[in-house]
Amino acid sequence: MKKIVVLTGAGMSVESGLKTFRDADGLWEEYPVQQVATHEGWLANPTLVTNFYNMLRKKCWGVKPNEGHRLVAALEQQYEVTVVTQNVDNLHEMAGSSRVIHLHGELMKVCSSNDPDDSRYQQLLTPENCEVEPGTKAGDGSLLRPFIVFFGEAVPMIAPAAEECQQADIFIIIGTSLNVYPAAGLIQYTRPGIPIYLIDPKPVSTGSRQVTQIQKGASEGMRELSKLLLK
């Protein structure tokens, strides 16, 4: 069975009603990144950061996967599929994708602030219980923090993601400008000559790689690509 790796960014979830962070009306316009998405911001005001991610979680539970998410999941009918996402929402999982690597963390989880990667202290939140009271402690006695890779922190899942890309027979990029590293560098791990498809309404620079660009949104672009890939 051929292997597809799908790299997704913020444009994947826009059609579900989730704001991107970087666009003109994105979340960084309303909430300065230094305050809510850096380790320094967390240390300075953990209550602000906790409440910001509580707000995002409530928004996230109010939306549903779009057709693009569902069509990515449907590729599993004929291919071995790994989704590598820069998004922290769980819309790929809700749509039925069975193997998802989250590069930037998972909004629906909280963790120890001493060691975010210690799985013993990671907790999965539910729709009924998605708010964390500021000051709540993890099992190791440190404050519970969002399981999010803050700016400036290492991206622990980049190595497993790169391994997946090296094994891909087909590589699909959806809804990302390929400006954010290290995720943007994953295209360089693919084997020379494999088909690479890029779905985004805006033109995206892909360097030296031969890429078939589909200048459409996630759902419309995936409808077009699915016709090619699912026989």
Side-chain angles (χ1 to χ4, degrees), residues 21 27-46 48-49 52-53 150-152:
F21 284 92
L27 283 164
W28 294 149
E29 294 281 311
E30 300 171 44
Y31 301 91
V33 59
Q34 292 298 330
Q35 289 181 12
V36 295
T38 64
H39 188 64
E40 294 74 22
W42 166 255
L43 292 177
N45 195 340
L48 174 74
V49 176
F52 173 75
Y53 289 97
F150 289 147
F151 281 92

Side-chain angles (χ1 to χ4, degrees), residues 165-171 186-196 208-211:
C165 293
Q166 286 172 334
Q167 297 166 25
D169 299 302
I170 299 168
F171 191 56
L186 288 172
I187 192 172
Q188 304 303 331
Y189 286 89
T190 58
R191 298 195 306 272
I194 70 163
I196 301 176
S208 59
R209 289 299 170 108
Q210 189 69 38
V211 173

